[in-house]
Every structure is written in structure tokens, then in C-alpha cells.
Amino acid sequence: MYRTHSNGELRLKHVGEEVTLAGWVQKTRDKGFMIWVDLRDRYGITQLIFDEERTPKEMVERAKTLGREFVIQIKGEVIERVSKNKNIPTGEVEILVKELTILNKSVIPPFTIEDETDGGDELRMKYRYLDIRRNPVKNNLIFRHKVAMETRKYLSDSGFIEVETPYLIKSTPEGARDFVVPSRMNEGQFYALPQSPQTFKQLLMVGGIDKYFQIVKCFRDEDLRADRQPEFTQIDCEMAFVEQEDILNTFEGLTRHLLKEINGVEVTKFPRMSYDEAIKKYGNDKPDIRFGMEFGELNEVAQHKDFGVFNNAELVVGIAVPGGNAYTRKEIDKLIEWVKRPQVGALGMVYARCNDDGTYKSSVDKFYTQDDLAKWAQVTGAKSGDLICVLSGNADKVRTQLSALRMELAERLGLRKSNEFAPLWVVDFPLLEWDEETERYHAMHHPFTSPKPEDMTLLDTDPGKVRANAYDLVLNGNEIGGGSIRIHDKATQALMLGHLGFTPEQAKEQFGFLMNAFEYGAPPHGGIAFGLDRLVAILGGQETIRDFIAFPKNNSGRDIMIDAPSKIDDQQLDELNLKLDLKKT
């Protein structure tokens, strides 16, 4: 037996007991006649003591050779500490060591295995197995485990069945790029790794598994934006004989359950907001509603006043920054520079101060009267002491820019509190979106999403106005889940694929298996998929998913610990009947 107790377990009640412990050396303190060693495992730290008066001299000398991260086993007696440490649970006791076994030595680690480490991101990712020993990473992985277990518990108790679906599937042209896998036994043919189990979960509904779930890996070969991973984990769910409201109620329940069991927070309100309203009020389809600063559209009160910048804009829109009138001119100038960064892309920003005496001071005073500026305040909801920030230009671009500014200001003002949770359903998404590059419509979600029944007639006459029977669950400004009611009959699915540019032959080649299944009594069904990585990060009070993944990739999609992706040898290429012809860039 390597250990009788963990290193986070022993208390005063264990004084006098003989114990065996094992773990890693956190640090040593050598006072010459006495040596203390902090022994660590994932449960905590226990202090060991080697005392020349009570410990064999040979063992004391061996203790002096212990270095950081040595793996050791000790046997000894639990004694009460003279100088207690209230910062750790085991701080009232220590172990008088009687036997010491060095199980494995360690070279000096490339960074300190402590909560506040001196290792940078890339270094810690290269030695991730060491990084996991640190409490922040270890605790994040334990936290993720708890979220996954509570998810399984809730769904299982609600009658859902966990079913595994294949990882080697057929490539489809919708969505992001697939990762492809060559087949040795089928020369010249390829599998794809699933971007989601979408078609399989629909087939499970045809198969009569009316409540399915799976915590599953998904894969997307896309250019990595901030805080994305090429492989990620979904809580994938589907239900048969349901309408949208049934799904929303079920997964409100899951979200409430997780917030209560994991965070101890009771959330009762799950407001609904249409996609159009979210874009108009917040500039994006995943608004953070923990704070205000809703958009105020100023075209009617700001245009036709001899200010060409506004007059020539498709949209003039502003927000009221609470307490922003306290900003100095220098601080406002820095804010203007911030919105002009390439990442945001605004050409500039107009502002108006709302003074305590009810007057206004604007950067465009010569074009606008006090009455004009009062109307700006009315539209944006600005009060005395606030600052009105105004952007203008192309409607879609300026909403995106102001949304970025809103979030930045909220961060600076401390309005995005990690211990506050504000869920929101966004519904009534457009079914299709026009792609200027390909000059055709693409599915905003995926080609299996059902149109709103009342909008079906618009598919032929005005497809851009067709709303999807789709919904996203937003938490604290992050989309944590999204889904839809699916198409469940062959004729409608064929019609949808036709509007997406598929010929009947292409539709049959890509999705024939699904459309054939619909001919055998497919029930009405719908579902949702939660991004587990993102959900765990938000519940954990953070927004960086990489911190909650055991072995993440970097921003280039590389695993720098195992050096992947990597080349394969010529023999493997021959077996796969492949030849590399790399284009020079």
C-alpha cells in the first residue's frame, strides 16, 4: 500500500496514528538540525518533519537530497504542529517521519508548480503534465468533471438515454471545414470527423430513441479565433414529439440545475428575445444582459443637422455610459483610439457629456443645440453624469463596433461580474443568410433546421425574410447552447436543400441516407447542443475555455506538448495510396 491517507486528509483527530503518505515534494526548508518538507498530491499538502533528535541521521541526510517534484513515500506518526498554519486544512498537524522512500527523482521543473507560477502560456502548454499539478488547472478539471456529472444526472433523471455516435463519418459541404481521414481499405476515399452528431441524432429519433443525449467530441478545421479549439466538447441532445417550447423548458431546467448544484445560485428568469431585437438593442445575437447600455438609434435626432458624417451614414447609434462624464479628455481620446483599432474598425467616435447641471457638452457642439443633445440623451437613456458615445456608418458594421465598445466599457466599469448569471433565450433567427462571395444563400444554422411554419410561403418569394425555428441559449454574453426544431419530412428537406443550391443529385449523394429515413415514419423532433467547454468556463467564473481542457491546442491548432500535427512516414502514405504534392506559398 503506497498510502493510507491522502495529503489533504489528516487532522488533529489523527494525532498519534501511524500513517503512510505518498506524493510530490512541493518544497523543503532546511534548518540544519531540522528539515520540513511539504508533500503534495491532488488532495492537498501535508507537512513532514525530519528531526535529528527523533529521526535517524541517515534519513535526515537523505531528506536533504530531496528536490522539487521528487516522488516520495513516507511512513510516520501524526503529531500536533507547534506553529500552526491556518491557510491549509492540514495546518494543525505534521508527520514525524520514520521511513522515507524516494520513488522517483525529478529534474528541476521548467516553471514553479505553484498557484502563481512563473511559466508563460506556451511553456506551460509544452509541459502540460506539470501544469496540471498546479491547483488552478487541477481544480478546473475537477470542476469540469462535476459539471459533466451533474449534466448526466439531470438528463438521465429526465428520461434521456446516452447513446454514442460514430467519429468516422461522411464529409458534408455545410458549416466549417471537416477534418478528413483517409481510408486504407477504401482506396481514394475519406472519412470526416464530425462537426456535430447532427444527422445521427436525427436518425436516433427515427429509431424511436425519443430522448437522446451524449457528451461528445466534435471537430472543426477552421481558422482559430480567440479562445477556440479545433476539437471541442458538446452536450448533444435531441427529443422527439416536441415543439420549441418543450425544448426551451427542458434545458432551462438543466441550466437551473447546474447553476444551483455547481454555483449555489437560484435563477428563475429566462427572458426571451428575438434575433432582430438583440441585434437592434445590443449589436449582436448573444447579448450580455447583466447590465444596461442598450443601443439608442439616433438617425431621426442626429441627421440633417449639417454634420455630413452622420448625414451620410446608414445608421447613427449610441450608448449611455453610466458615470462616464467623469472621464477626462485624455481618457476619452484613448477610447476613441480603441474603437479605431483594426480589430474594431470604427473611423472615429462622437461623444456628448451629460453635465450635472442638465447641460451638455459635445465634440460636435457647433452642429447641435442643447435641445438636440437632450434628444440624444432621451433616446440613449443617458442621465446627468453619463457619457454618450456615438458611432455611425454601415448598419451592420457599426452595430458590431458599438457592441465591442459596449463590452469593453462594461469590463472597465466592473459590470461583468463573474458571480452574477443572466441567461437569455434568443429566438426567431433568420433561416438563411446571403453570402456575397458565393452569391447564394447558406443555412444560418444548418440545412436541417425547420422554417417557421407561418414563413414557409416566403421561401420562394423572399427567402431572406424566412425565420428559423431555432433558438440559442446565452449566458453572460456567451452562447452556451443552440438548436432548432428539425425538418422531419423528405419533401421539405428537399425543398430546403434546393434553396441552398443543391441539385437533386447532390442532395441525394450527400444526404440521401437521411432523406430515405424520413420516408419511414420520422417523428417531429428537435434538439440543442451545449458547448461544454464554454459552459464550464462561465460557471467557473472565467471565459477562457483552454483553462478547463486537459490538453488544449494553441492558437495555431497545434499541440506543442506532443508536437502534433506532424508528418507521417512514406510507408504510411504508401499504405493509404497517398502522395503529397505540397504547394509552395
Side-chain angles (χ1 to χ4, degrees):
M1 183 183 294
Y2 276 107
R3 55 187 180 184
T4 57
H5 297 78
S6 75
N7 286 313
E9 188 176 348
L10 299 173
R11 303 291 189 272
L12 280 175
K13 66 181 180 180
H14 297 101
V15 168
E17 292 185 18
E18 296 287 327
V19 298
T20 303
L21 302 180
W24 289 265
V25 173
Q26 176 72 21
K27 61 182 177 181
T28 62
R29 299 180 296 285
D30 186 351
K31 297 297 184 183
F33 61 91
M34 196 173 291
I35 299 172
W36 288 276
V37 175
D38 285 350
L39 187 65
R40 184 194 73 242
D41 60 16
R42 81 172 174 92
Y43 304 97
I45 288 178
T46 299
Q47 180 169 284
L48 315 178
I49 183 171
F50 298 81
D51 182 353
E52 283 188 353
E53 293 184 359
R54 296 175 288 177
T55 307
K57 184 176 181 180
E58 177 271 333
M59 194 182 304
V60 174
E61 291 303 313
R62 193 143 34 105
K64 291 182 178 182
T65 69
L66 297 177
R68 282 180 176 264
E69 303 308 308
F70 275 40
V71 185
I72 65 173
Q73 180 193 47
I74 63 94
K75 295 181 181 179
E77 179 188 350
V78 182
I79 62 175
E80 185 173 357
R81 281 177 67 162
V82 175
S83 178
K84 295 180 172 54
N85 181 354
K86 295 182 179 180
N87 295 320
I88 58 174
T90 60
E92 294 184 300
V93 298
E94 58 189 357
I95 311 302
L96 179 61
V97 179
K98 297 180 179 179
E99 294 182 31
L100 167 64
T101 304
I102 298 176
L103 300 174
N104 213 334
K105 295 181 180 181
S106 172
V107 297
I108 298 173
F111 54 87
T112 54
I113 314 298
E114 294 177 353
D115 291 4
E116 298 296 330
T117 183
D118 54 0
D121 286 349
E122 289 288 305
L123 184 63
R124 289 188 290 108
M125 286 183 70
K126 184 175 181 179
Y127 297 93
R128 185 65 166 181
Y129 46 86
L130 297 180
D131 201 26
I132 290 172
R133 295 180 190 174
R134 295 173 52 243
N135 282 325
V137 181
K138 175 200 72 177
N139 291 338
N140 284 348
L141 296 181
I142 294 171
F143 186 83
R144 182 188 177 107
H145 161 75
K146 291 178 180 178
V147 174
M149 291 301 293
E150 287 298 335
T151 297
R152 282 193 165 94
K153 180 178 185 299
Y154 174 87
L155 292 173
S156 296
D157 289 348
S158 300
F160 284 78
I161 298 171
E162 185 166 13
V163 182
E164 292 184 3
T165 53
Y167 278 167
L168 297 175
I169 66 168
K170 184 175 184 175
S171 182
T172 59
E174 288 296 315
R177 297 182 191 89
D178 290 326
F179 282 102
V180 294
V181 181
S183 171
R184 180 182 59 82
M185 293 182 290
N186 299 276
E187 184 178 344
Q189 296 183 320
F190 296 80
Y191 298 106
L193 300 180
Q195 296 184 34
S196 80
Q198 181 60 48
T199 52
F200 287 100
K201 65 182 183 180
Q202 290 190 252
L203 293 171
L204 286 171
M205 297 303 102
V206 178
I209 306 296
D210 67 338
K211 286 186 173 183
Y212 142 90
F213 87 98
Q214 184 181 188
I215 297 181
V216 59
K217 279 286 185 187
C218 302
F219 308 85
R220 289 180 185 169
D221 186 10
E222 60 184 348
D223 296 334
L224 295 182
R225 289 173 280 168
D227 204 31
R228 293 288 183 94
Q229 290 282 304
E231 54 180 320
F232 54 96
T233 307
Q234 286 185 347
I235 305 167
D236 196 55
C237 306
E238 198 80 3
M239 303 169 71
F241 302 109
V242 290
E243 296 175 334
Q244 176 174 298
E245 201 63 26
D246 299 310
I247 293 175
L248 267 55
N249 287 334
T250 298
F251 291 96
E252 280 182 21
L254 171 60
T255 309
R256 284 194 184 96
H257 176 80
L258 292 176
L259 285 168
K260 182 178 179 181
E261 296 300 320
I262 301 297
N263 297 86
V265 173
E266 297 270 4
V267 175
T268 57
K269 294 182 179 179
F270 280 73
R272 315 280 171 87
M273 183 181 295
S274 72
Y275 170 86
D276 288 342
E277 183 183 359
I279 295 297
K280 187 174 181 178
K281 285 185 175 180
Y282 301 100
N284 68 74
D285 58 6
K286 48 181 186 295
D288 191 337
I289 59 170
R290 286 175 293 179
F291 56 95
M293 287 198 282
E294 292 183 8
F295 290 10
E297 297 191 357
L298 299 166
N299 288 42
E300 291 187 9
V301 297
Q303 289 183 327
H304 314 298
K305 299 287 184 179
D306 297 327
F307 185 48
V309 173
F310 285 177
N311 291 342
N312 297 326
E314 183 182 1
L315 177 65
V316 183
V317 63
I319 54 173
V321 184
N325 192 31
Y327 287 179
T328 65
R329 176 60 188 269
K330 188 175 181 180
E331 287 174 320
I332 294 175
D333 286 344
K334 286 184 177 180
L335 210 55
I336 294 172
E337 290 303 312
W338 189 90
V339 301
K340 291 167 70 174
R341 297 181 312 147
Q343 300 94 315
V344 180
L347 296 177
M349 184 186 83
V350 169
Y351 66 90
R353 295 180 179 275
C354 303
N355 298 321
D356 292 338
D357 62 3
T359 62
Y360 302 92
K361 178 65 178 174
S362 171
S363 56
V364 288
D365 272 340
K366 66 179 180 179
F367 299 105
Y368 296 95
T369 67
Q370 289 291 299
D371 287 342
D372 292 331
L373 298 175
K375 291 175 182 177
W376 292 17
Q378 183 179 3
V379 172
T380 59
K383 299 178 176 60
S384 294
D386 292 350
L387 179 74
I388 303 171
C389 297
V390 183
L391 300 181
S392 62
N394 171 273
D396 290 341
K397 288 182 179 179
V398 80
R399 285 190 176 110
T400 301
Q401 293 160 359
L402 191 60
S403 175
L405 176 60
R406 175 180 180 267
M407 295 295 280
E408 175 66 16
L409 287 166
E411 197 71 45
R412 295 183 185 190
L413 293 167
L415 301 176
R416 303 190 70 210
K417 298 176 182 177
S418 61
N419 60 349
E420 292 181 2
F421 298 94
L424 168 74
W425 285 108
V426 178
V427 298
D428 295 346
F429 283 82
L431 181 71
L432 306 168
E433 56 184 346
W434 182 257
D435 188 303
E436 295 289 348
E437 195 172 309
T438 60
E439 294 187 342
R440 67 181 180 90
Y441 282 105
H442 288 262
M444 192 163 191
H445 285 77
H446 52 64
F448 317 112
T449 298
S450 173
K452 288 277 187 181
E454 59 268 32
D455 291 355
M456 281 292 293
T457 57
L458 295 173
L459 263 177
D460 290 321
T461 60
D462 197 351
K465 288 188 176 179
V466 179
R467 294 169 299 162
N469 215 335
Y471 33 82
D472 281 355
L473 182 56
V474 177
L475 185 62
N476 295 0
N478 292 273
E479 178 197 333
I480 60 167
S484 66
I485 299 298
R486 322 301 187 189
I487 296 169
H488 69 279
D489 67 276
K490 184 176 181 179
T492 305
Q493 188 63 74
L495 178 66
M496 180 66 174
L497 292 172
H499 279 285
L500 294 173
F502 289 85
T503 66
E505 293 74 23
Q506 288 171 329
K508 183 176 181 180
E509 180 184 352
Q510 294 290 336
F511 305 110
F513 64 95
L514 181 65
M515 296 171 72
N516 288 342
F518 286 169
E519 294 190 291
Y520 291 90
H525 60 279
I528 193 169
F530 282 66
L532 178 64
D533 309 300
R534 183 81 54 202
L535 175 62
V536 169
I538 295 169
L539 294 179
Q542 301 177 44
E543 291 190 8
T544 304
I545 65 173
R546 196 168 70 182
D547 293 342
F548 291 85
I549 297 172
F551 299 102
K553 308 288 189 292
N554 68 9
N555 290 338
S556 299
R558 294 196 65 82
D559 186 327
I560 59 176
M561 181 184 68
I562 63 172
D563 193 23
S566 61
K567 295 179 181 179
I568 61 174
D569 61 37
D570 291 340
Q571 182 181 347
Q572 288 175 290
L573 288 171
D574 290 342
E575 288 175 346
L576 294 167
N577 295 300
L578 293 177
K579 181 179 180 181
L580 293 182
D581 183 15
L582 300 177
K583 296 178 182 178
K584 293 183 179 179
T585 55

